[in-house]
Amino acid sequence: MNIENIEAFIYVCQLGSFNKAAEALFLTQPSVTARIQSLEREMNLKLFNRNGKNISLTDKGEYFFPHAQKILQSYQDAKYGMQQVVLPNELNIGSALSISNNVLHTILPEIKSQFNNVRIKIVTGHSKDILNKVISKEVDFGIVRTETHPQVESILLYEDPIHLFVPPGHELLNQCKITLENVGKQPLIFFDYGSMDWLYIHRLFSSNLITPNIALEVDNMETAKNLLLQGMGISFLPEHCVKKELEKGQLFRVALTPPIKMNINIDLIYLKGRSKTIFIDFFKDKFKM
């Protein structure tokens, strides 16, 4: 079974579009279509229902999706496990700002304890900026929300749930049943136009034929969280971004009816052929949440 075909299938499932999958994989749309068709021929079944530009998974496609993810992950694990373990004198880590602020700093003491002879440098920025720093060899690897590039390998560290969060005293906290339509009428704070998170949330509203009341749109989730803390609106945010605020009672999670499940992937990325396996294994272990 061709791994590239499985990868194309996973991207189409996650992004909901052959065109978007092609952009993410740096391929043409016909190339992605050809890979899906090849996979369907190989499996002798239909994975997608096609109606013009609209696509949806068939029952067989729904069943195969989690297995495809496991196949790709197993392939990557085997590939990385065969690479030589190297312990350098210096390690440069790139991290998305929200991950650095809310997650990475909690395990830095253990990194220093385990690799006490290694000088560690942390560089923060937007996930796309960290991707570029990995490609230009400014950092050894990055911890980011999903970013793809043909020169870069990625390993899923964990899936982070996205929930709706509101400040203390918000009117939604007093309602027993909160629907997506109720939420769409509230002033919403959106972040990171065009990102996977942004696409997930917009697709959530559009698939339910709801036009959200977007009061503010900012370029990163940390700014969205700070505006949320100031009572400027409500926001869908990844769990890791608001962990401290939840513990302190500064923000509250709101459950929707019917329940909505959304996740983003937090990935470890590095340049192909430039793996430092011992650190990859360390982070894979520590990011189990």
Side-chain angles (χ1 to χ4, degrees):
M1 188 171 287
N2 189 303
I3 289 295
E4 291 181 342
N5 293 348
I6 292 176
E7 183 181 48
F9 170 72
I10 291 171
Y11 272 78
V12 173
C13 290
Q14 290 178 330
L15 298 176
S17 162
F18 280 69
N19 282 329
K20 290 175 183 175
E23 291 175 6
L25 290 167
F26 293 86
L27 296 170
T28 63
Q29 187 271 331
S31 295
V32 170
T33 300
R35 291 186 181 187
I36 298 299
Q37 290 173 341
S38 175
L39 182 61
E40 289 179 323
R41 285 194 301 271
E42 187 174 5
M43 300 183 70
N44 194 29
L45 54 83
K46 188 177 179 182
L47 295 170
F48 290 101
N49 294 310
R50 299 167 176 84
N51 181 15
K53 293 184 178 180
N54 297 320
I55 62 168
S56 62
L57 282 169
T58 62
D59 290 342
K60 296 291 186 181
E62 289 275 7
Y63 177 82
F64 180 60
F65 178 56
H67 295 283
Q69 290 178 305
K70 290 177 183 178
I71 291 170
L72 185 60
Q73 187 65 56
S74 295
Y75 167 78
Q76 291 174 335
D77 287 344
K79 183 177 178 181
Y80 306 138
M82 290 186 289
Q83 296 176 355
Q84 183 180 4
V85 174
V86 178
L87 189 62
N89 295 321
E90 181 176 288
L91 182 68
N92 296 316
I93 303 171
S95 174
L97 183 60
S98 64
I99 298 170
S100 176
N101 286 350
N102 301 288
V103 180
L104 185 58
H105 74 281
T106 64
I107 62 172
L108 281 177
E110 191 167 351
I111 299 176
K112 285 301 295 179
S113 175
Q114 186 160 336
F115 308 108
N116 60 332
N117 293 322
V118 178
R119 186 160 62 92
I120 297 174
K121 179 181 179 182
I122 308 294
V123 178
T124 62
H126 190 281
S127 290
K128 292 187 187 300
D129 297 329
I130 299 302
L131 171 64
N132 291 329
K133 290 183 184 298
V134 169
I135 294 169
S136 63
K137 301 180 182 180
E138 294 177 61
V139 296
D140 295 300
F141 60 81
I143 303 171
V144 299
R145 290 176 290 146
T146 298
E147 293 288 344
T148 59
H149 191 278
Q151 293 177 252
V152 167
E153 300 277 14
S154 65
I155 300 175
L156 174 64
L157 293 177
Y158 68 97
E159 291 184 342
D160 197 20
I162 297 176
H163 294 295
L164 178 65
F165 296 98
V166 302
H170 194 277
E171 63 181 82
L172 289 181
L173 294 173
N174 299 320
Q175 297 182 20
C176 297
K177 182 179 178 181
I178 302 166
T179 65
L180 191 62
E181 188 173 5
N182 299 144
V183 174
K185 296 174 183 177
Q186 295 286 331
L188 283 158
I189 302 169
F190 273 35
F191 65 92
D192 214 356
Y193 176 85
S195 69
M196 193 75 73
D197 318 45
W198 187 92
L199 289 170
Y200 283 161
I201 299 165
H202 268 269
R203 191 181 304 140
L204 174 64
F205 284 101
S206 62
S207 63
N208 287 277
L209 304 178
I210 297 171
T211 302
N213 174 22
I214 303 175
L216 292 162
E217 195 154 11
V218 296
D219 64 358
N220 66 82
M221 67 177 68
E222 288 294 304
T223 300
K225 178 179 71 175
N226 290 331
L227 291 170
L228 179 55
L229 288 167
Q230 294 174 39
M232 297 293 292
I234 64 176
S235 186
F236 287 92
L237 290 169
E239 190 86 8
H240 81 262
C241 181
V242 296
K243 188 175 180 180
K244 291 183 292 186
E245 289 74 16
L246 284 174
E247 291 172 352
K248 294 178 181 178
Q250 296 173 324
L251 292 176
F252 292 88
R253 186 189 298 109
V254 172
L256 299 183
T257 302
I260 293 169
K261 184 179 180 180
M262 291 190 295
N263 295 298
I264 63 167
N265 291 341
I266 303 299
D267 292 344
L268 184 142
I269 61 172
Y270 60 88
L271 203 60
K272 288 182 178 177
R274 205 165 180 255
S275 166
K276 295 185 177 178
T277 309
I278 190 169
F279 296 107
I280 291 173
D281 291 342
F282 174 85
F283 276 97
K284 283 174 68 177
D285 179 61
K286 297 306 169 188
F287 272 84
K288 288 177 182 176
M289 296 185 174

